[in-house]
Coordinates of all heavy atoms in Angstrom, one line a residue:
Q1 N 24.9 8.4 2.9 CA 24.0 8.0 3.9 C 22.5 8.0 3.4 O 21.7 7.1 3.8 CB 24.1 8.8 5.1 CG 25.2 8.6 6.0 CD 25.2 9.3 7.3 OE1 24.6 10.4 7.3 NE2 25.9 8.9 8.2
I2 N 22.2 8.9 2.4 CA 20.8 8.9 1.8 C 20.6 7.6 1.1 O 19.5 7.0 1.2 CB 20.6 10.2 1.0 CG1 20.6 11.5 1.8 CG2 19.3 10.0 0.2 CD1 20.5 12.7 1.1
L3 N 21.6 7.2 0.4 CA 21.5 5.9 -0.3 C 21.3 4.7 0.6 O 20.5 3.9 0.4 CB 22.7 5.7 -1.3 CG 22.6 4.4 -2.0 CD1 21.4 4.3 -3.0 CD2 24.0 4.3 -2.9
A4 N 22.1 4.8 1.6 CA 21.9 3.7 2.7 C 20.6 3.7 3.3 O 20.1 2.7 3.7 CB 23.1 3.9 3.7
I5 N 20.1 4.9 3.7 CA 18.7 5.0 4.3 C 17.7 4.4 3.3 O 16.8 3.7 3.7 CB 18.4 6.5 4.6 CG1 19.2 6.9 5.8 CG2 16.9 6.7 4.9 CD1 19.1 8.4 6.1
D6 N 17.8 4.7 2.0 CA 16.9 4.3 0.9 C 17.0 2.7 1.0 O 16.0 2.0 1.0 CB 17.2 4.9 -0.4 CG 16.1 4.5 -1.4 OD1 14.9 4.5 -1.0 OD2 16.5 4.2 -2.5
L7 N 18.1 2.2 0.9 CA 18.3 0.7 0.9 C 17.8 0.0 2.2 O 17.2 -1.0 2.1 CB 19.7 0.3 0.6 CG 20.3 0.6 -0.8 CD1 21.8 0.3 -0.8 CD2 19.6 -0.2 -1.8
G8 N 18.1 0.7 3.2 CA 17.6 0.1 4.6 C 16.1 0.2 4.8 O 15.5 -0.7 5.4
T9 N 15.5 1.3 4.3 CA 14.1 1.4 4.5 C 13.2 0.8 3.4 O 12.0 0.6 3.6 CB 13.7 2.9 4.7 OG1 14.0 3.6 3.5 CG2 14.4 3.5 5.9
E10 N 13.7 0.5 2.3 CA 12.9 -0.1 1.2 C 13.1 -1.7 1.1 O 12.1 -2.3 0.7 CB 13.3 0.5 -0.1 CG 13.1 2.0 -0.2 CD 11.6 2.4 0.0 OE1 10.8 1.7 -0.6 OE2 11.3 3.5 0.5
T11 N 14.2 -2.2 1.5 CA 14.4 -3.6 1.4 C 13.5 -4.4 2.2 O 12.9 -5.4 1.7 CB 15.9 -3.9 1.7 OG1 16.7 -3.1 0.8 CG2 16.1 -5.4 1.4
I12 N 13.5 -4.2 3.5 CA 12.6 -5.0 4.4 C 11.2 -5.0 4.1 O 10.5 -6.0 4.0 CB 13.0 -4.7 5.9 CG1 14.4 -5.1 6.1 CG2 12.0 -5.4 6.9 CD1 15.0 -4.7 7.6
P13 N 10.6 -3.8 4.0 CA 9.1 -3.7 3.5 C 8.9 -4.5 2.2 O 7.8 -5.1 2.1 CB 8.8 -2.3 3.5 CG 9.8 -1.6 4.3 CD 11.1 -2.4 4.2
A14 N 9.7 -4.4 1.3 CA 9.6 -5.0 0.0 C 9.6 -6.5 0.2 O 8.8 -7.3 -0.4 CB 10.7 -4.5 -1.0
L15 N 10.5 -7.0 1.0 CA 10.5 -8.5 1.2 C 9.3 -8.9 1.9 O 8.7 -10.0 1.7 CB 11.7 -8.8 2.1 CG 13.1 -8.7 1.4 CD1 14.2 -8.9 2.4 CD2 13.2 -9.7 0.3
A16 N 8.8 -8.1 2.9 CA 7.6 -8.5 3.6 C 6.4 -8.5 2.7 O 5.6 -9.4 2.8 CB 7.3 -7.4 4.6
L17 N 6.3 -7.5 1.7 CA 5.2 -7.6 0.7 C 5.3 -8.9 -0.2 O 4.3 -9.4 -0.5 CB 5.2 -6.3 -0.1 CG 4.8 -5.1 0.5 CD1 4.9 -3.9 -0.5 CD2 3.2 -5.2 0.9
G18 N 6.5 -9.3 -0.4 CA 6.7 -10.4 -1.3 C 6.2 -11.7 -0.6 O 5.9 -12.7 -1.3
V19 N 6.3 -11.9 0.7 CA 5.9 -13.0 1.4 C 4.5 -13.0 2.1 O 4.1 -13.9 2.7 CB 6.9 -13.5 2.4 CG1 8.3 -13.8 1.7 CG2 7.2 -12.5 3.5
E20 N 3.9 -11.9 1.9 CA 2.6 -11.7 2.6 C 1.5 -12.5 1.9 O 1.5 -12.6 0.7 CB 2.2 -10.1 2.6 CG 0.9 -9.8 3.3 CD 0.6 -8.4 3.2 OE1 1.0 -7.7 2.3 OE2 -0.1 -7.9 4.1
R21 N 0.7 -13.1 2.7 CA -0.4 -13.9 2.2 C -1.5 -13.0 1.5 O -1.7 -11.9 2.1 CB -1.0 -14.8 3.3 CG -0.1 -15.8 3.8 CD -0.8 -16.8 4.7 NE 0.1 -17.7 5.4 CZ 0.4 -18.9 4.8 NH1 -0.1 -19.2 3.7 NH2 1.2 -19.7 5.5
P22 N -2.0 -13.4 0.4 CA -3.0 -12.5 -0.2 C -4.4 -12.6 0.6 O -4.6 -13.6 1.3 CB -3.2 -13.1 -1.6 CG -2.7 -14.5 -1.5 CD -1.7 -14.5 -0.3
E23 N -5.1 -11.6 0.5 CA -6.4 -11.5 1.1 C -7.3 -12.3 0.3 O -7.4 -12.0 -0.9 CB -6.9 -10.0 1.3 CG -6.0 -9.2 2.2 CD -6.5 -7.8 2.3 OE1 -7.7 -7.5 2.0 OE2 -5.7 -7.0 2.8
G24 N -8.1 -13.2 0.8 CA -9.0 -14.0 0.1 C -10.2 -13.4 -0.5 O -10.6 -13.8 -1.6
D25 N -10.7 -12.3 0.1 CA -11.9 -11.7 -0.5 C -11.6 -10.2 -1.1 O -12.6 -9.5 -1.2 CB -12.9 -11.6 0.6 CG -12.4 -10.7 1.8 OD1 -11.2 -10.5 1.9 OD2 -13.2 -10.3 2.7
V26 N -10.5 -10.0 -1.5 CA -10.2 -8.6 -2.0 C -10.9 -8.4 -3.3 O -11.3 -7.3 -3.6 CB -8.6 -8.4 -2.1 CG1 -8.1 -9.2 -3.3 CG2 -8.3 -6.9 -2.3
M27 N -11.1 -9.3 -4.1 CA -11.8 -9.2 -5.3 C -13.3 -9.0 -5.2 O -14.0 -8.6 -6.1 CB -11.4 -10.3 -6.4 CG -10.0 -10.3 -6.8 SD -9.5 -8.7 -7.4 CE -10.3 -8.7 -9.0
K28 N -13.8 -9.4 -4.0 CA -15.2 -9.3 -3.8 C -15.6 -8.0 -3.2 O -16.8 -7.6 -3.2 CB -15.7 -10.4 -2.8 CG -15.5 -11.8 -3.2 CD -15.9 -12.8 -2.2 CE -15.6 -14.3 -2.7 NZ -15.8 -15.3 -1.7
A29 N -14.7 -7.1 -2.8 CA -15.0 -5.8 -2.3 C -15.4 -4.9 -3.4 O -14.7 -5.0 -4.6 CB -13.8 -5.2 -1.6
P30 N -16.4 -4.1 -3.2 CA -16.7 -3.2 -4.3 C -15.6 -2.1 -4.6 O -14.9 -1.8 -3.7 CB -18.0 -2.5 -3.8 CG -17.9 -2.6 -2.3 CD -17.2 -3.9 -2.0
P31 N -15.5 -1.5 -5.8 CA -14.5 -0.5 -6.0 C -14.9 0.7 -5.3 O -16.1 1.0 -4.9 CB -14.6 -0.2 -7.5 CG -16.0 -0.8 -7.9 CD -16.3 -1.9 -6.9
R32 N -13.9 1.7 -5.0 CA -14.2 2.8 -4.3 C -15.0 3.8 -5.2 O -14.9 3.7 -6.5 CB -13.0 3.5 -3.7 CG -11.9 3.9 -4.8 CD -10.7 4.4 -4.0 NE -9.6 4.5 -5.0 CZ -9.4 5.5 -5.8 NH1 -10.3 6.5 -5.9 NH2 -8.4 5.6 -6.6
R33 N -15.7 4.7 -4.6 CA -16.5 5.7 -5.4 C -15.5 6.6 -6.2 O -14.4 6.9 -5.8 CB -17.3 6.6 -4.5 CG -18.4 5.7 -3.7 CD -19.3 6.7 -2.9 NE -18.7 7.9 -2.4 CZ -18.2 8.0 -1.1 NH1 -18.3 7.0 -0.3 NH2 -17.7 9.2 -0.7
R34 N -16.0 7.1 -7.3 CA -15.3 8.0 -8.1 C -14.8 9.4 -7.4 O -13.7 9.9 -7.6 CB -16.0 8.4 -9.3 CG -16.1 7.4 -10.4 CD -16.7 8.0 -11.7 NE -16.8 6.9 -12.7 CZ -15.9 6.8 -13.7 NH1 -15.0 7.8 -13.7 NH2 -16.0 5.9 -14.6
D35 N -15.6 9.8 -6.4 CA -15.3 11.0 -5.8 C -14.6 10.7 -4.5 O -14.1 11.8 -3.9 CB -16.7 11.8 -5.4 CG -17.6 11.0 -4.6 OD1 -17.5 9.7 -4.5 OD2 -18.5 11.6 -3.9
E36 N -14.3 9.5 -4.2 CA -13.5 9.2 -3.0 C -12.0 9.4 -3.3 O -11.5 8.7 -4.2 CB -13.9 7.8 -2.6 CG -13.1 7.4 -1.3 CD -13.5 5.9 -0.9 OE1 -14.4 5.3 -1.5 OE2 -12.8 5.4 0.0
R37 N -11.3 10.1 -2.5 CA -9.9 10.3 -2.7 C -9.1 9.2 -2.2 O -9.4 8.6 -1.1 CB -9.4 11.7 -2.0 CG -10.2 12.8 -2.7 CD -9.6 14.1 -2.1 NE -10.1 15.2 -2.7 CZ -9.4 15.9 -3.5 NH1 -8.2 15.7 -3.8 NH2 -10.0 17.0 -4.1
L38 N -8.0 8.9 -2.8 CA -7.1 7.9 -2.4 C -6.2 8.4 -1.3 O -6.0 7.7 -0.3 CB -6.1 7.5 -3.5 CG -5.2 6.3 -3.3 CD1 -6.0 5.0 -3.1 CD2 -4.4 6.0 -4.5
V39 N -5.9 9.7 -1.3 CA -5.1 10.3 -0.1 C -6.2 11.3 0.5 O -6.4 12.4 -0.1 CB -3.9 11.0 -0.6 CG1 -3.2 11.6 0.5 CG2 -3.0 10.0 -1.2
D40 N -6.7 11.0 1.6 CA -7.6 11.8 2.3 C -7.0 12.5 3.6 O -5.8 12.3 3.9 CB -8.9 11.1 2.6 CG -8.6 9.9 3.5 OD1 -7.6 9.7 4.0 OD2 -9.6 9.2 3.9
K41 N -7.8 13.2 4.3 CA -7.3 13.9 5.4 C -6.7 13.0 6.5 O -5.7 13.2 7.1 CB -8.4 14.8 6.1 CG -8.7 16.0 5.3 CD -9.9 16.8 5.9 CE -10.4 17.9 5.0 NZ -11.4 18.7 5.5
A42 N -7.3 11.8 6.7 CA -6.8 10.9 7.6 C -5.5 10.3 7.3 O -4.5 10.2 8.2 CB -7.8 9.7 7.8
V43 N -5.2 10.0 6.0 CA -3.9 9.5 5.5 C -2.9 10.7 5.8 O -1.8 10.4 6.2 CB -4.0 9.1 4.1 CG1 -2.7 8.7 3.5 CG2 -4.9 7.9 3.9

């Protein structure tokens, strides 16, 4: 069942990422600050 859960929960989001349209201005955004954490309290 753990393998089935992994296959069931990873396949659909992976397919969605594959067909998602790219953001047009993602390269225009400034990089995050060095002291800014990727995983913060809100996440």
